[in-house]
Amino acid sequence: MLSAKSLFQEILDNDESYRLFCSIAASGESQGGWENTRIAALVPASERELAPKITRHGADEDKHGRIFNALMKKRGLEAVPVPPETDYTMLLEKHGIGLAHEKLKSDEPLTVQDIVTYLAHSRVTEQRASEQMDLLRKHFADHPDLGRAVRMISHDEDDHLAYCHEELLRFAAAGHGRAIQRTLRESALAEIRIYRDVSLAVMSHMGRILGWPRTKSAVLAAGIHAVYAYERVAGWRRMVSLTMPERRNALGGPATSAPEFA
Ligand SMILES: [Fe+2]
Ligand SMILES: [Fe+2]
């Protein structure tokens, strides 16, 4: 039977697919870390209070990147180059979602509007991260190698999502509501497409590595298209709502470390 669990299990059991999985994850996390670190450095003076939280956000993503690299190392594996068509973060940036890397590389301070854009983009992508890690936690929370890493990252991603909700509600109350709604909608509709394309690309690489029969690959591709069809019709709305999280000020403290990994 094809299930999310059996699929992940198969990917984890093979060194080649495991290292591709970890390499893609590590690279996405590190890119997220870099983006957040740059945004924190360029926060406009009027939003200075937000800077430590953005720094913390970046530190968490960097830590996740180190954890995925450490998981590979633990099995004696080296990272492999990430195929561009599987590079979720880079593809989002290329499609103009979030803040352009050109802008982040410069030394010009960002505007309040840029900060709102960053938060709206993060609200969408952190939802995806939170759901994906939740799925992994559901199936592998007790896995001897992955369990602790998965539980820690999943907890962090939930915090990131809570932080985005809270800060966006604050900006909405300050008069940015329309810009937030527009950016959320644009980001969500672009994200679901890119997520579909990246999922298809990752599955095609995994299928080649693991020698999947054509029917299995076809069933998986059909599943990915079905998820997209659902998200396009209705599912995207879950990515654009804003509700005050139970956990306030989720990124208020310093980053927790993961000394056993990195
Ligand atoms: Fe992360
Ligand atoms: Fe995150």
Side-chain angles (χ1 to χ4, degrees):
M1 233 329 258
L2 259 180
S3 66
K5 182 170 186 176
S6 68
L7 208 59
F8 273 124
Q9 192 67 59
E10 206 182 329
I11 290 168
L12 302 183
D13 287 346
N14 175 290
D15 279 352
E16 213 44 51
S17 51
Y18 182 71
R19 83 171 171 171
L20 180 61
F21 168 77
C22 288
S23 301
I24 292 172
S27 143
E29 298 280 8
S30 317
Q31 275 183 65
W34 177 82
E35 287 174 0
N36 281 285
T37 305
R38 289 304 302 152
I39 294 166
L42 300 175
V43 166
S46 63
E47 301 303 326
R48 202 172 293 146
E49 267 175 48
L50 206 55
K53 297 182 193 180
I54 305 175
T55 300
R56 160 77 193 273
H57 190 185
D60 281 354
E61 305 300 6
D62 274 336
K63 179 184 75 183
H64 300 166
R66 291 197 306 275
I67 289 175
F68 280 112
N69 279 315
L71 287 173
M72 263 184 287
K73 229 181 175 175
K74 207 169 162 188
R75 233 160 97 170
L77 301 169
E78 296 257 330
V80 284
V82 172
E85 67 278 16
T86 67
D87 198 331
Y88 171 79
T89 316
M90 201 50 90
L91 286 168
L92 282 170
E93 197 258 342
K94 258 197 191 148
H95 284 80
I97 304 304
L99 298 179
H101 283 187
E102 273 313 303
K103 198 176 233 180
L104 297 182
K105 280 180 199 155
S106 87
D107 283 323
E108 281 288 299
L110 298 170
T111 63
V112 174
Q113 185 50 53
D114 288 332
I115 297 298
V116 168
T117 301
Y118 142 73
L119 283 168
H121 165 243
S122 298
R123 187 257 173 272
V124 169
T125 53
E126 293 298 337
Q127 169 106 31
R128 185 70 76 189
S130 157
E131 288 173 359
Q132 295 220 294
M133 290 313 299
D134 202 51
L135 184 69
L136 278 179
R137 178 172 55 182
K138 201 167 118 206
H139 297 304
F140 298 104
D142 298 321
H143 190 281
D145 297 326
L146 284 180
R148 213 182 115 59
V150 160
R151 290 197 308 272
M152 174 185 257
I153 298 175
S154 176
H155 177 84
D156 288 346
E157 304 299 9
D158 292 347
D159 278 354
H160 299 167
L161 184 57
Y163 147 81
C164 292
H165 276 269
E166 186 178 347
E167 299 301 334
L168 282 170
L169 282 170
R170 187 171 61 76
F171 277 107
H176 295 275
R178 284 177 83 124
I180 291 173
Q181 275 314 319
R182 196 185 57 238
T183 314
L184 283 173
R185 188 173 192 279
E186 277 169 16
S187 299
L189 291 175
E191 195 278 346
I192 59 173
R193 254 191 305 111
I194 289 167
Y195 178 71
R196 172 199 62 191
D197 294 345
V198 165
S199 302
L200 289 169
V202 170
M203 283 307 158
S204 117
H205 281 277
M206 294 301 178
R208 232 179 346 256
I209 292 171
L210 297 165
W212 287 343
R214 203 179 272 193
T215 44
K216 180 168 177 169
S217 296
V219 169
L220 283 171
I224 291 167
H225 284 291
V227 167
Y228 174 70
Y230 161 73
E231 292 195 328
R232 184 68 190 81
V233 172
W236 67 276
R237 291 183 191 279
R238 79 187 189 287
M239 303 178 130
V240 303
S241 62
L242 292 178
T243 44
M244 190 49 87
E246 250 169 63
R247 177 133 197 253
R248 304 282 176 90
N249 198 22
L251 297 187
T256 50
S257 62
E260 69 278 40
F261 294 110

